[in-house]
Amino acid sequence: DQQVKQNSPSLSVQEGRISILNCDYTNSMFDYFLWYKKYPAEGPTFLISISSIKDKNEDGRFTVFLNKSAKHLSLHIVPSQPGDSAVYFCAARTTGNQFYFGTGTSLTVIP
Amino acid sequence: DAGITQSPRHKVTETGTPVTLRCHQTENHRYMYWYRQDPGHGLRLIHYSYGVKDTDKGEVSDGYSVSRSKTEDFLLTLESATSSQTSVYFCAIRSGAGGLPSYEQYFGPGTRLTVT
């Protein structure tokens, strides 16, 4: 029973354009959401996060949007760069300090 | 980069043998986690620790045990390895300190385990 879902296994965008990665969740008790980036043969690295009391958080080229009523969050990368090519995981925290991850979206930025 | 290492980085073992994976941190972080990554499943939490000798189960804990006798080390043990435990295992740490919520985790490089 996947509580955090990333329904797009892969995404390709042109360099300079916007990348939008989506994530849906089912557990209304999640109170914090995070995005991680993962290169092959490495561990995930933290990218950006958002509390459930907010609807937007921005950090440079990365913006995360949260729509609690739809149980949906998205990561926007503008402009996309070839170095952004990686697998992106969304994650959600419950009280009790457990974290649930999505299955990941592989982003390819085409030069 | 957070000081977190995993050992071994690669291991091949036979079904039925015990296996222990080690996670070591130099950050003095309170929380430590073990995840496994499998195709189609993303990362799934196996066990986590919120202090020395304080551990709890995650969503896929069956067949695994953990121990944390020191702040810096978190061990994951497969008592009797099975082929279904072939996976990439990641350790992660989290501070939990500070006035504002800070839930980001820092991951180790992973251990690729193959059970034949």
Side-chain angles (χ1 to χ4, degrees):
Chain A
D1 182 25
Q2 195 80 21
Q3 298 191 45
V4 178
K5 300 177 183 179
Q6 295 176 256
N7 293 317
S8 298
S10 62
L11 174 68
S12 292
V13 299
Q14 292 286 336
E15 180 179 3
R17 305 295 291 270
I18 184 172
S19 295
I20 300 176
L21 295 92
N22 294 304
C23 182
D24 298 294
Y25 62 96
T26 57
N27 189 341
S28 59
M29 299 303 292
F30 289 146
D31 62 0
Y32 208 82
F33 302 89
L34 309 97
W35 284 94
Y36 289 86
K37 176 180 179 179
K38 185 183 181 305
Y39 293 116
E42 294 183 10
T45 55
F46 169 72
L47 199 55
I48 192 169
S49 62
I50 188 168
S51 165
S52 61
I53 63 173
K54 297 189 175 183
D55 56 17
K56 178 182 175 181
N57 187 28
E58 193 171 354
D59 184 2
R61 296 187 296 115
F62 303 92
T63 303
V64 56
F65 295 92
L66 176 62
N67 183 333
K68 283 186 67 177
S69 61
K71 294 189 174 67
H72 177 83
L73 67 156
S74 61
L75 174 68
H76 292 210
I77 306 174
V78 183
S80 300
Q81 300 174 353
D84 296 330
S85 297
V87 177
Y88 289 79
F89 292 97
C90 65
R93 175 196 178 265
T94 66
T95 55
N97 290 305
Q98 292 211 23
F99 292 83
Y100 292 84
F101 282 73
T103 52
T105 296
S106 179
L107 173 66
T108 301
V109 180
I110 303 164
Chain B
D1 289 345
I4 177 169
T5 57
Q6 293 184 231
S7 58
R9 293 293 312 280
H10 301 270
K11 186 169 183 66
V12 180
T13 191
E14 294 184 349
T15 299
T17 59
V19 177
T20 295
L21 308 183
R22 179 183 185 233
C23 178
H24 179 78
Q25 61 150 328
T26 58
E27 305 296 320
N28 201 36
H29 282 356
R30 177 182 177 188
Y31 295 94
M32 298 185 76
Y33 302 81
W34 276 108
Y35 293 90
R36 58 179 290 176
Q37 185 192 5
D38 304 289
H41 291 279
L43 287 94
R44 291 180 293 174
L45 181 64
I46 305 171
H47 283 279
Y48 68 101
S49 170
Y50 47 96
V52 173
K53 296 190 175 153
D54 291 323
T55 64
D56 206 349
K57 296 179 179 180
E59 63 177 316
V60 289
S61 60
D62 288 347
Y64 301 94
S65 62
V66 289
S67 66
R68 192 172 178 197
S69 59
K70 298 183 291 185
T71 298
E72 58 265 34
D73 289 325
F74 192 33
L75 304 181
L76 176 71
T77 297
L78 291 65
E79 301 289 348
S80 178
T82 68
S83 58
S84 65
Q85 293 176 312
T86 292
S87 187
V88 180
Y89 291 85
F90 289 101
C91 176
I93 61 176
R94 182 170 76 83
S95 173
L100 295 175
S102 176
Y103 297 118
E104 58 262 32
Q105 296 173 65
Y106 298 94
F107 285 81
T111 294
R112 182 172 293 277
L113 177 67
T114 302
V115 183
T116 60

